[in-house]
Amino acid sequence: MKSRSGATRERGPHPLDNWLFGLALAGIALTSYLTFSAWFGEHPAFCGADSDCGLVQQSRWSTLLGVPIALWGFLTYALLARLTWRLRTRPSSWRAALLVAVVGAAVSWYLAAISLFVIEALCFYCLASFGIANALLVVLLVRRPAQMPEHAWAKALPTPVGSATVIVFVLALHFSGLFDPAAGPEKPHLKALAVHLRDSGARFFGTYWCPICQQQKALFEASADRLPYVECTPGGRGGPVNFACVANDVKSYPTWINGGRRHTGLVSA
């Protein structure tokens, strides 16, 4: 079949289409499992808290905008699955799939570099996703519908490469703490204070829906996760109150208790 320009169009699925779709499904399965583990506070199999894998999974690079980085990976693979499936009958989907694949592979390279040179630990789950993302990109490049002029390299590559560069740059700025100090590196004095509060037996009672509680956490920036925080309404605002909060007669939030001393309200860091 020929287009108006005379170029021969594809008939039926390309032999590589099943590989592309299969790789996308493998990525979906992997990131679904990691997202589930992160949301329910479980360690992935063979990934203990003190292992290299655990260090990576618990690092500040494991979340983005308040959700697990694995969820962003899941959305990327899900979009690629849809695009590569459409590619079987619509070769025009190749450029959109290439854009997503290049961005996904670039982010995987960025996170792999962070894991290797900053965290100095390797997670085999992350390496598996790295392999899937890059294999999918390579197969997609080979799969290019060369007979379609609009898919020529000079037209197809600039947008994906430029987009990937911008996204990785913005990610680097985000994790530097430029946009959100909580995503950046820990400040030594805030880390030391949070560790001291935790080790001294202090308890910080609060709720996820309490604005002042969130302000309290924000004061500790990237060290907020080290605070001895106790969530008083884990079942929701109208749900039962945590027994520890009831036992300590916590009636307003936030409440700090340390060695018999009690303080209600915001405490300066």
Side-chain angles (χ1 to χ4, degrees):
M1 180 178 181
K2 292 187 176 181
S3 64
R4 292 180 181 178
S5 62
T8 302
R9 297 284 178 170
E10 295 182 358
R11 291 184 177 180
H14 189 280
L16 292 177
D17 288 342
N18 288 337
W19 284 96
L20 287 169
F21 189 65
L23 285 167
L25 290 182
I28 289 173
L30 176 62
T31 52
S32 294
Y33 174 64
L34 293 177
T35 301
F36 177 87
S37 299
W39 269 344
F40 290 92
E42 300 289 338
H43 293 295
F46 313 109
C47 190
D50 297 327
S51 65
D52 280 6
C53 179
L55 291 176
V56 175
Q57 294 294 330
Q58 296 171 37
S59 71
R60 60 189 176 89
W61 288 275
S62 65
T63 60
L64 177 63
L65 301 181
V67 298
I69 197 76
L71 177 60
W72 297 102
F74 169 82
L75 295 175
T76 300
Y77 286 123
L79 181 55
L80 280 169
R82 173 174 172 77
L83 290 171
T84 55
W85 183 261
R86 290 184 63 189
L87 187 58
R88 301 162 70 91
T89 55
R90 298 183 184 179
S92 58
S93 299
W94 182 82
R95 288 188 66 173
L98 181 66
L99 171 62
V100 179
V102 170
V103 170
V107 171
S108 73
W109 274 97
Y110 168 73
L111 294 176
I114 291 295
S115 178
L116 184 60
F117 299 110
V118 180
I119 305 174
E120 297 183 343
L122 291 176
C123 169
F124 55 86
Y125 289 108
C126 304
L127 291 176
S129 182
F130 175 85
I132 293 171
N134 284 277
L136 206 155
L137 174 59
V138 170
V139 176
L140 193 61
L141 290 172
V142 175
R143 167 67 176 87
R144 180 176 70 97
Q147 78 285 355
M148 299 177 68
E150 62 269 29
H151 292 334
W153 293 122
K155 294 181 179 180
L157 288 179
T159 298
V161 172
S163 300
T165 302
V166 170
I167 289 174
V168 169
F169 181 68
V170 171
L171 273 180
L173 291 180
H174 171 75
F175 286 115
S176 74
L178 179 64
F179 308 127
D180 179 10
E186 291 187 276
K187 294 179 179 177
H189 71 284
L190 292 177
K191 176 181 177 180
L193 178 56
V195 170
H196 170 71
L197 289 169
R198 183 191 64 197
D199 293 346
S200 68
R203 291 293 178 268
F204 162 28
F205 297 93
T207 67
Y208 68 90
W209 46 264
C210 160
I212 300 179
C213 299
Q214 305 314 311
Q215 293 175 30
Q216 182 69 85
K217 291 181 179 181
L219 288 177
F220 283 84
E221 299 181 0
S223 298
D225 288 342
R226 298 184 184 273
L227 291 172
Y229 177 71
V230 179
E231 172 59 52
C232 288
T233 57
R237 188 164 186 170
V241 177
N242 189 328
F243 176 77
C245 302
V246 175
N248 285 278
D249 195 30
V250 176
K251 296 181 179 178
S252 59
Y253 312 109
T255 293
W256 286 87
I257 298 178
N258 188 7
R261 293 178 296 173
R262 178 185 295 260
H263 179 86
T264 301
L266 194 68
V267 175
S268 60

